[in-house]
Amino acid sequence: MIRYILLICCLFPLSLLAQINTEQVTLMGRHALYFDDYLTAIRYFNKVIETKPYLDKPYYYRAYAKFSLEDFLGAEADCNKCLERNPYLTEVYQLRGLCRIHNKDLKGAAADYAAVLKDEPTEQTALYNRALCLMQEKNYDEAETDIVQLLKIAPRHVRAYMVRSQLSMERCDTLGAIVWADSLLTITQRDASAWSLRGRLALAVDEFEKADTCFTKAVDLEPEWGDHYMMRAQARHAINRFDEAIADYNKVISYIPHHFVAHYNRGLLLATVGRDNEAIEDFNYVLTEEPTNTLARYNRALLMERTGDYQTAVSDLTLLIKDFPNFIYGYMLRAECLRRLGDEQAAKRDEAFVQRAGLD
């Protein structure tokens, strides 16, 4: 009897010690989260989960760490495990909604935000995120309902105005979108995104001077954000302010050297103002990144012919004609280049093709 009593006494402290260690390890993991040391946090929560897999919160904490490391699939899986153990944790639905957005499951994300709003009907992040999901799913009426509710709760919610404007655009109501964008600018003059939105809407209705002004405001507020320069360049191109548009594309490329569209658009403008060799460099870059880009190859062929590099022009045109056998102007231009290279026979073959096409 004495032996069994002693055994029971020994077991109880060991069990209590395990419990204390689990709590301590969880606390250490949460401290690691606080200091953004996510890998260390995951290691701590792994230990807790191995010891007591029936607990709910360690899965949530580990999910948060994985989300912060952009392991969205792993984070969603941990949220699922947490909710299997406790389906009443609102914060877990909130986090899983974000995971599902990143994992392209917008319906699932909207359902998670609905769960949040069931418990907290005025939760602003859930209203906003669900509206975004519903809009992406083309469920415009429900998305608008969420945004209207959000604006009742937070009348100066900048992003809500932007979504309301976007909803109008999705319904092909450009004027309505402009009304909401203008309303937003009465609330804030210091938000670059608001000016950018208004500039994009001005572009949509061909108000290029207005667009230029709006994007300039955005540039002043966020001078290192390349997209503002990109959009302003489009407006300036449309009103023939080519040199200023080129300067904007230069800014974009200085911030984002591999910006494919900026290189292409700058090449077009450089060719327009007669800076052919610089334009060729841009089209060279585009074709290095995307050898099948037909428009870039055609534009380079035109520039090569104009600058006297007939051999490269012929090579580019030959590739284009191979892909587009009925490209009449390609045969015409190649014939000119071939003749300048002294290949009369090949030039006559191309000209004969053009004549036959004209008869057909």
Side-chain angles (χ1 to χ4, degrees), residues 115-143:
V116 174
L117 292 167
K118 184 177 180 181
D119 288 337
E120 301 178 27
T122 61
E123 213 292 315
Q124 295 181 27
T125 300
L127 282 168
Y128 177 75
N129 285 349
R130 186 171 70 168
L132 287 178
C133 293
L134 292 169
M135 182 172 66
Q136 291 295 319
E137 289 291 299
K138 303 188 184 303
N139 192 341
Y140 303 133
D141 290 340
E142 289 191 42

PDB file of all heavy atoms in Angstrom, residues 115-143:
ATOM      1  N   ALA A 115     -19.338  35.210 -40.611  1.00  0.00           N
ATOM      2  CA  ALA A 115     -19.293  34.642 -39.263  1.00  0.00           C
ATOM      3  C   ALA A 115     -18.826  35.690 -38.252  1.00  0.00           C
ATOM      4  O   ALA A 115     -19.339  35.757 -37.124  1.00  0.00           O
ATOM      5  CB  ALA A 115     -18.367  33.424 -39.237  1.00  0.00           C
ATOM      6  N   VAL A 116     -17.856  36.501 -38.656  1.00  0.00           N
ATOM      7  CA  VAL A 116     -17.396  37.577 -37.775  1.00  0.00           C
ATOM      8  C   VAL A 116     -18.527  38.559 -37.513  1.00  0.00           C
ATOM      9  O   VAL A 116     -18.791  38.961 -36.371  1.00  0.00           O
ATOM     10  CB  VAL A 116     -16.192  38.309 -38.407  1.00  0.00           C
ATOM     11  CG1 VAL A 116     -15.797  39.520 -37.553  1.00  0.00           C
ATOM     12  CG2 VAL A 116     -14.996  37.371 -38.558  1.00  0.00           C
ATOM     13  N   LEU A 117     -19.234  38.953 -38.576  1.00  0.00           N
ATOM     14  CA  LEU A 117     -20.286  39.959 -38.451  1.00  0.00           C
ATOM     15  C   LEU A 117     -21.497  39.438 -37.694  1.00  0.00           C
ATOM     16  O   LEU A 117     -22.259  40.220 -37.121  1.00  0.00           O
ATOM     17  CB  LEU A 117     -20.693  40.443 -39.846  1.00  0.00           C
ATOM     18  CG  LEU A 117     -19.602  41.247 -40.569  1.00  0.00           C
ATOM     19  CD1 LEU A 117     -19.953  41.424 -42.044  1.00  0.00           C
ATOM     20  CD2 LEU A 117     -19.400  42.598 -39.902  1.00  0.00           C
ATOM     21  N   LYS A 118     -21.675  38.140 -37.664  1.00  0.00           N
ATOM     22  CA  LYS A 118     -22.772  37.567 -36.875  1.00  0.00           C
ATOM     23  C   LYS A 118     -22.571  37.877 -35.401  1.00  0.00           C
ATOM     24  O   LYS A 118     -23.533  38.166 -34.666  1.00  0.00           O
ATOM     25  CB  LYS A 118     -22.828  36.059 -37.105  1.00  0.00           C
ATOM     26  CG  LYS A 118     -23.993  35.379 -36.396  1.00  0.00           C
ATOM     27  CD  LYS A 118     -24.028  33.890 -36.717  1.00  0.00           C
ATOM     28  CE  LYS A 118     -25.190  33.206 -36.001  1.00  0.00           C
ATOM     29  NZ  LYS A 118     -25.225  31.749 -36.298  1.00  0.00           N
ATOM     30  N   ASP A 119     -21.320  37.822 -34.961  1.00  0.00           N
ATOM     31  CA  ASP A 119     -21.014  38.120 -33.556  1.00  0.00           C
ATOM     32  C   ASP A 119     -20.769  39.614 -33.329  1.00  0.00           C
ATOM     33  O   ASP A 119     -21.087  40.140 -32.259  1.00  0.00           O
ATOM     34  CB  ASP A 119     -19.771  37.346 -33.108  1.00  0.00           C
ATOM     35  CG  ASP A 119     -20.054  35.860 -32.956  1.00  0.00           C
ATOM     36  OD1 ASP A 119     -21.232  35.497 -32.772  1.00  0.00           O
ATOM     37  OD2 ASP A 119     -19.094  35.067 -33.041  1.00  0.00           O
ATOM     38  N   GLU A 120     -20.194  40.279 -34.339  1.00  0.00           N
ATOM     39  CA  GLU A 120     -19.847  41.694 -34.197  1.00  0.00           C
ATOM     40  C   GLU A 120     -20.334  42.447 -35.443  1.00  0.00           C
ATOM     41  O   GLU A 120     -19.559  42.703 -36.366  1.00  0.00           O
ATOM     42  CB  GLU A 120     -18.336  41.863 -34.038  1.00  0.00           C
ATOM     43  CG  GLU A 120     -17.759  41.131 -32.828  1.00  0.00           C
ATOM     44  CD  GLU A 120     -16.249  41.292 -32.736  1.00  0.00           C
ATOM     45  OE1 GLU A 120     -15.722  42.310 -33.231  1.00  0.00           O
ATOM     46  OE2 GLU A 120     -15.598  40.394 -32.182  1.00  0.00           O
ATOM     47  N   PRO A 121     -21.618  42.819 -35.494  1.00  0.00           N
ATOM     48  CA  PRO A 121     -22.204  43.402 -36.709  1.00  0.00           C
ATOM     49  C   PRO A 121     -21.555  44.706 -37.163  1.00  0.00           C
ATOM     50  O   PRO A 121     -21.698  45.080 -38.328  1.00  0.00           O
ATOM     51  CB  PRO A 121     -23.668  43.629 -36.319  1.00  0.00           C
ATOM     52  CG  PRO A 121     -23.910  42.707 -35.173  1.00  0.00           C
ATOM     53  CD  PRO A 121     -22.620  42.620 -34.435  1.00  0.00           C
ATOM     54  N   THR A 122     -20.848  45.390 -36.286  1.00  0.00           N
ATOM     55  CA  THR A 122     -20.239  46.677 -36.650  1.00  0.00           C
ATOM     56  C   THR A 122     -18.726  46.571 -36.856  1.00  0.00           C
ATOM     57  O   THR A 122     -18.044  47.589 -36.901  1.00  0.00           O
ATOM     58  CB  THR A 122     -20.530  47.725 -35.568  1.00  0.00           C
ATOM     59  OG1 THR A 122     -19.963  47.288 -34.324  1.00  0.00           O
ATOM     60  CG2 THR A 122     -22.026  47.938 -35.406  1.00  0.00           C
ATOM     61  N   GLU A 123     -18.213  45.355 -36.977  1.00  0.00           N
ATOM     62  CA  GLU A 123     -16.766  45.182 -37.147  1.00  0.00           C
ATOM     63  C   GLU A 123     -16.352  45.705 -38.528  1.00  0.00           C
ATOM     64  O   GLU A 123     -16.714  45.146 -39.565  1.00  0.00           O
ATOM     65  CB  GLU A 123     -16.399  43.707 -36.987  1.00  0.00           C
ATOM     66  CG  GLU A 123     -15.035  43.472 -36.364  1.00  0.00           C
ATOM     67  CD  GLU A 123     -13.888  43.903 -37.264  1.00  0.00           C
ATOM     68  OE1 GLU A 123     -13.958  43.574 -38.461  1.00  0.00           O
ATOM     69  OE2 GLU A 123     -12.944  44.547 -36.782  1.00  0.00           O
ATOM     70  N   GLN A 124     -15.588  46.781 -38.550  1.00  0.00           N
ATOM     71  CA  GLN A 124     -15.337  47.511 -39.791  1.00  0.00           C
ATOM     72  C   GLN A 124     -14.477  46.724 -40.784  1.00  0.00           C
ATOM     73  O   GLN A 124     -14.763  46.716 -41.988  1.00  0.00           O
ATOM     74  CB  GLN A 124     -14.671  48.850 -39.477  1.00  0.00           C
ATOM     75  CG  GLN A 124     -15.567  49.794 -38.692  1.00  0.00           C
ATOM     76  CD  GLN A 124     -14.907  51.125 -38.407  1.00  0.00           C
ATOM     77  OE1 GLN A 124     -14.035  51.581 -39.149  1.00  0.00           O
ATOM     78  NE2 GLN A 124     -15.307  51.767 -37.320  1.00  0.00           N
ATOM     79  N   THR A 125     -13.446  46.055 -40.305  1.00  0.00           N
ATOM     80  CA  THR A 125     -12.570  45.303 -41.213  1.00  0.00           C
ATOM     81  C   THR A 125     -13.341  44.190 -41.906  1.00  0.00           C
ATOM     82  O   THR A 125     -13.168  43.958 -43.108  1.00  0.00           O
ATOM     83  CB  THR A 125     -11.376  44.715 -40.439  1.00  0.00           C
ATOM     84  OG1 THR A 125     -10.639  45.783 -39.840  1.00  0.00           O
ATOM     85  CG2 THR A 125     -10.469  43.932 -41.375  1.00  0.00           C
ATOM     86  N   ALA A 126     -14.202  43.514 -41.165  1.00  0.00           N
ATOM     87  CA  ALA A 126     -14.985  42.428 -41.761  1.00  0.00           C
ATOM     88  C   ALA A 126     -15.953  42.973 -42.809  1.00  0.00           C
ATOM     89  O   ALA A 126     -16.125  42.380 -43.884  1.00  0.00           O
ATOM     90  CB  ALA A 126     -15.746  41.677 -40.675  1.00  0.00           C
ATOM     91  N   LEU A 127     -16.608  44.099 -42.524  1.00  0.00           N
ATOM     92  CA  LEU A 127     -17.516  44.707 -43.497  1.00  0.00           C
ATOM     93  C   LEU A 127     -16.762  45.093 -44.769  1.00  0.00           C
ATOM     94  O   LEU A 127     -17.217  44.823 -45.889  1.00  0.00           O
ATOM     95  CB  LEU A 127     -18.188  45.944 -42.897  1.00  0.00           C
ATOM     96  CG  LEU A 127     -19.353  45.695 -41.932  1.00  0.00           C
ATOM     97  CD1 LEU A 127     -19.705  46.978 -41.202  1.00  0.00           C
ATOM     98  CD2 LEU A 127     -20.570  45.151 -42.689  1.00  0.00           C
ATOM     99  N   TYR A 128     -15.615  45.707 -44.589  1.00  0.00           N
ATOM    100  CA  TYR A 128     -14.833  46.168 -45.745  1.00  0.00           C
ATOM    101  C   TYR A 128     -14.322  44.982 -46.571  1.00  0.00           C
ATOM    102  O   TYR A 128     -14.489  44.939 -47.796  1.00  0.00           O
ATOM    103  CB  TYR A 128     -13.658  47.024 -45.272  1.00  0.00           C
ATOM    104  CG  TYR A 128     -12.764  47.489 -46.389  1.00  0.00           C
ATOM    105  CD1 TYR A 128     -13.160  48.509 -47.247  1.00  0.00           C
ATOM    106  CD2 TYR A 128     -11.517  46.895 -46.600  1.00  0.00           C
ATOM    107  CE1 TYR A 128     -12.336  48.942 -48.278  1.00  0.00           C
ATOM    108  CE2 TYR A 128     -10.694  47.310 -47.626  1.00  0.00           C
ATOM    109  CZ  TYR A 128     -11.106  48.333 -48.459  1.00  0.00           C
ATOM    110  OH  TYR A 128     -10.291  48.745 -49.492  1.00  0.00           O
ATOM    111  N   ASN A 129     -13.725  44.011 -45.901  1.00  0.00           N
ATOM    112  CA  ASN A 129     -13.157  42.868 -46.623  1.00  0.00           C
ATOM    113  C   ASN A 129     -14.233  42.033 -47.300  1.00  0.00           C
ATOM    114  O   ASN A 129     -14.045  41.533 -48.415  1.00  0.00           O
ATOM    115  CB  ASN A 129     -12.322  42.004 -45.687  1.00  0.00           C
ATOM    116  CG  ASN A 129     -10.984  42.633 -45.352  1.00  0.00           C
ATOM    117  OD1 ASN A 129     -10.581  43.617 -45.973  1.00  0.00           O
ATOM    118  ND2 ASN A 129     -10.294  42.098 -44.373  1.00  0.00           N
ATOM    119  N   ARG A 130     -15.391  41.866 -46.615  1.00  0.00           N
ATOM    120  CA  ARG A 130     -16.458  41.088 -47.257  1.00  0.00           C
ATOM    121  C   ARG A 130     -16.975  41.828 -48.498  1.00  0.00           C
ATOM    122  O   ARG A 130     -17.272  41.210 -49.521  1.00  0.00           O
ATOM    123  CB  ARG A 130     -17.602  40.790 -46.294  1.00  0.00           C
ATOM    124  CG  ARG A 130     -18.641  39.858 -46.934  1.00  0.00           C
ATOM    125  CD  ARG A 130     -19.678  39.359 -45.973  1.00  0.00           C
ATOM    126  NE  ARG A 130     -20.594  40.412 -45.550  1.00  0.00           N
ATOM    127  CZ  ARG A 130     -21.721  40.174 -44.891  1.00  0.00           C
ATOM    128  NH1 ARG A 130     -22.058  38.933 -44.555  1.00  0.00           N
ATOM    129  NH2 ARG A 130     -22.507  41.162 -44.522  1.00  0.00           N
ATOM    130  N   ALA A 131     -17.080  43.152 -48.405  1.00  0.00           N
ATOM    131  CA  ALA A 131     -17.517  43.922 -49.571  1.00  0.00           C
ATOM    132  C   ALA A 131     -16.567  43.723 -50.741  1.00  0.00           C
ATOM    133  O   ALA A 131     -16.996  43.547 -51.893  1.00  0.00           O
ATOM    134  CB  ALA A 131     -17.622  45.399 -49.216  1.00  0.00           C
ATOM    135  N   LEU A 132     -15.271  43.717 -50.468  1.00  0.00           N
ATOM    136  CA  LEU A 132     -14.288  43.480 -51.533  1.00  0.00           C
ATOM    137  C   LEU A 132     -14.480  42.095 -52.156  1.00  0.00           C
ATOM    138  O   LEU A 132     -14.454  41.949 -53.387  1.00  0.00           O
ATOM    139  CB  LEU A 132     -12.867  43.606 -50.983  1.00  0.00           C
ATOM    140  CG  LEU A 132     -12.356  45.003 -50.652  1.00  0.00           C
ATOM    141  CD1 LEU A 132     -10.948  44.916 -50.086  1.00  0.00           C
ATOM    142  CD2 LEU A 132     -12.366  45.897 -51.888  1.00  0.00           C
ATOM    143  N   CYS A 133     -14.659  41.092 -51.311  1.00  0.00           N
ATOM    144  CA  CYS A 133     -14.850  39.730 -51.821  1.00  0.00           C
ATOM    145  C   CYS A 133     -16.112  39.638 -52.670  1.00  0.00           C
ATOM    146  O   CYS A 133     -16.109  39.052 -53.760  1.00  0.00           O
ATOM    147  CB  CYS A 133     -14.927  38.739 -50.666  1.00  0.00           C
ATOM    148  SG  CYS A 133     -13.393  38.540 -49.744  1.00  0.00           S
ATOM    149  N   LEU A 134     -17.193  40.205 -52.175  1.00  0.00           N
ATOM    150  CA  LEU A 134     -18.462  40.156 -52.902  1.00  0.00           C
ATOM    151  C   LEU A 134     -18.359  40.908 -54.223  1.00  0.00           C
ATOM    152  O   LEU A 134     -18.922  40.470 -55.240  1.00  0.00           O
ATOM    153  CB  LEU A 134     -19.574  40.744 -52.038  1.00  0.00           C
ATOM    154  CG  LEU A 134     -19.948  39.930 -50.792  1.00  0.00           C
ATOM    155  CD1 LEU A 134     -20.862  40.733 -49.879  1.00  0.00           C
ATOM    156  CD2 LEU A 134     -20.617  38.607 -51.181  1.00  0.00           C
ATOM    157  N   MET A 135     -17.641  42.023 -54.229  1.00  0.00           N
ATOM    158  CA  MET A 135     -17.478  42.770 -55.472  1.00  0.00           C
ATOM    159  C   MET A 135     -16.694  41.953 -56.496  1.00  0.00           C
ATOM    160  O   MET A 135     -17.053  41.906 -57.674  1.00  0.00           O
ATOM    161  CB  MET A 135     -16.769  44.098 -55.207  1.00  0.00           C
ATOM    162  CG  MET A 135     -16.614  44.968 -56.455  1.00  0.00           C
ATOM    163  SD  MET A 135     -15.994  46.634 -56.082  1.00  0.00           S
ATOM    164  CE  MET A 135     -14.341  46.265 -55.483  1.00  0.00           C
ATOM    165  N   GLN A 136     -15.637  41.294 -56.043  1.00  0.00           N
ATOM    166  CA  GLN A 136     -14.849  40.463 -56.944  1.00  0.00           C
ATOM    167  C   GLN A 136     -15.669  39.303 -57.493  1.00  0.00           C
ATOM    168  O   GLN A 136     -15.467  38.855 -58.616  1.00  0.00           O
ATOM    169  CB  GLN A 136     -13.607  39.927 -56.224  1.00  0.00           C
ATOM    170  CG  GLN A 136     -12.578  40.979 -55.893  1.00  0.00           C
ATOM    171  CD  GLN A 136     -11.969  41.597 -57.134  1.00  0.00           C
ATOM    172  OE1 GLN A 136     -11.678  40.914 -58.110  1.00  0.00           O
ATOM    173  NE2 GLN A 136     -11.796  42.910 -57.119  1.00  0.00           N
ATOM    174  N   GLU A 137     -16.624  38.832 -56.707  1.00  0.00           N
ATOM    175  CA  GLU A 137     -17.514  37.756 -57.148  1.00  0.00           C
ATOM    176  C   GLU A 137     -18.711  38.285 -57.942  1.00  0.00           C
ATOM    177  O   GLU A 137     -19.628  37.531 -58.263  1.00  0.00           O
ATOM    178  CB  GLU A 137     -18.013  36.978 -55.927  1.00  0.00           C
ATOM    179  CG  GLU A 137     -16.949  36.131 -55.250  1.00  0.00           C
ATOM    180  CD  GLU A 137     -16.528  34.955 -56.094  1.00  0.00           C
ATOM    181  OE1 GLU A 137     -17.375  34.093 -56.406  1.00  0.00           O
ATOM    182  OE2 GLU A 137     -15.334  34.905 -56.464  1.00  0.00           O
ATOM    183  N   LYS A 138     -18.689  39.603 -58.218  1.00  0.00           N
ATOM    184  CA  LYS A 138     -19.753  40.286 -58.993  1.00  0.00           C
ATOM    185  C   LYS A 138     -21.098  40.283 -58.280  1.00  0.00           C
ATOM    186  O   LYS A 138     -22.153  40.409 -58.908  1.00  0.00           O
ATOM    187  CB  LYS A 138     -19.885  39.684 -60.404  1.00  0.00           C
ATOM    188  CG  LYS A 138     -18.590  39.737 -61.210  1.00  0.00           C
ATOM    189  CD  LYS A 138     -18.792  39.315 -62.639  1.00  0.00           C
ATOM    190  CE  LYS A 138     -17.469  39.279 -63.402  1.00  0.00           C
ATOM    191  NZ  LYS A 138     -16.750  40.573 -63.374  1.00  0.00           N
ATOM    192  N   ASN A 139     -21.063  40.151 -56.976  1.00  0.00           N
ATOM    193  CA  ASN A 139     -22.278  40.245 -56.167  1.00  0.00           C
ATOM    194  C   ASN A 139     -22.367  41.698 -55.677  1.00  0.00           C
ATOM    195  O   ASN A 139     -22.137  42.012 -54.512  1.00  0.00           O
ATOM    196  CB  ASN A 139     -22.211  39.270 -54.993  1.00  0.00           C
ATOM    197  CG  ASN A 139     -23.547  39.113 -54.300  1.00  0.00           C
ATOM    198  OD1 ASN A 139     -24.432  39.948 -54.447  1.00  0.00           O
ATOM    199  ND2 ASN A 139     -23.690  38.048 -53.538  1.00  0.00           N
ATOM    200  N   TYR A 140     -22.710  42.573 -56.611  1.00  0.00           N
ATOM    201  CA  TYR A 140     -22.594  44.006 -56.355  1.00  0.00           C
ATOM    202  C   TYR A 140     -23.605  44.507 -55.327  1.00  0.00           C
ATOM    203  O   TYR A 140     -23.286  45.403 -54.529  1.00  0.00           O
ATOM    204  CB  TYR A 140     -22.734  44.780 -57.664  1.00  0.00           C
ATOM    205  CG  TYR A 140     -21.723  44.380 -58.714  1.00  0.00           C
ATOM    206  CD1 TYR A 140     -22.110  44.129 -60.024  1.00  0.00           C
ATOM    207  CD2 TYR A 140     -20.379  44.241 -58.386  1.00  0.00           C
ATOM    208  CE1 TYR A 140     -21.183  43.760 -60.988  1.00  0.00           C
ATOM    209  CE2 TYR A 140     -19.440  43.873 -59.339  1.00  0.00           C
ATOM    210  CZ  TYR A 140     -19.849  43.628 -60.642  1.00  0.00           C
ATOM    211  OH  TYR A 140     -18.929  43.262 -61.599  1.00  0.00           O
ATOM    212  N   ASP A 141     -24.806  43.975 -55.334  1.00  0.00           N
ATOM    213  CA  ASP A 141     -25.835  44.468 -54.414  1.00  0.00           C
ATOM    214  C   ASP A 141     -25.435  44.219 -52.965  1.00  0.00           C
ATOM    215  O   ASP A 141     -25.537  45.118 -52.113  1.00  0.00           O
ATOM    216  CB  ASP A 141     -27.180  43.814 -54.724  1.00  0.00           C
ATOM    217  CG  ASP A 141     -27.764  44.291 -56.047  1.00  0.00           C
ATOM    218  OD1 ASP A 141     -27.340  45.363 -56.525  1.00  0.00           O
ATOM    219  OD2 ASP A 141     -28.638  43.588 -56.598  1.00  0.00           O
ATOM    220  N   GLU A 142     -24.989  43.008 -52.668  1.00  0.00           N
ATOM    221  CA  GLU A 142     -24.593  42.700 -51.293  1.00  0.00           C
ATOM    222  C   GLU A 142     -23.339  43.473 -50.899  1.00  0.00           C
ATOM    223  O   GLU A 142     -23.201  43.906 -49.747  1.00  0.00           O
ATOM    224  CB  GLU A 142     -24.384  41.198 -51.117  1.00  0.00           C
ATOM    225  CG  GLU A 142     -25.677  40.388 -51.150  1.00  0.00           C
ATOM    226  CD  GLU A 142     -25.455  38.946 -50.712  1.00  0.00           C
ATOM    227  OE1 GLU A 142     -24.718  38.746 -49.734  1.00  0.00           O
ATOM    228  OE2 GLU A 142     -26.015  38.048 -51.344  1.00  0.00           O
ATOM    229  N   ALA A 143     -22.435  43.638 -51.848  1.00  0.00           N
ATOM    230  CA  ALA A 143     -21.224  44.417 -51.567  1.00  0.00           C
ATOM    231  C   ALA A 143     -21.596  45.852 -51.205  1.00  0.00           C
ATOM    232  O   ALA A 143     -21.064  46.427 -50.244  1.00  0.00           O
ATOM    233  CB  ALA A 143     -20.293  44.395 -52.772  1.00  0.00           C
TER     234      ALA A 143
END
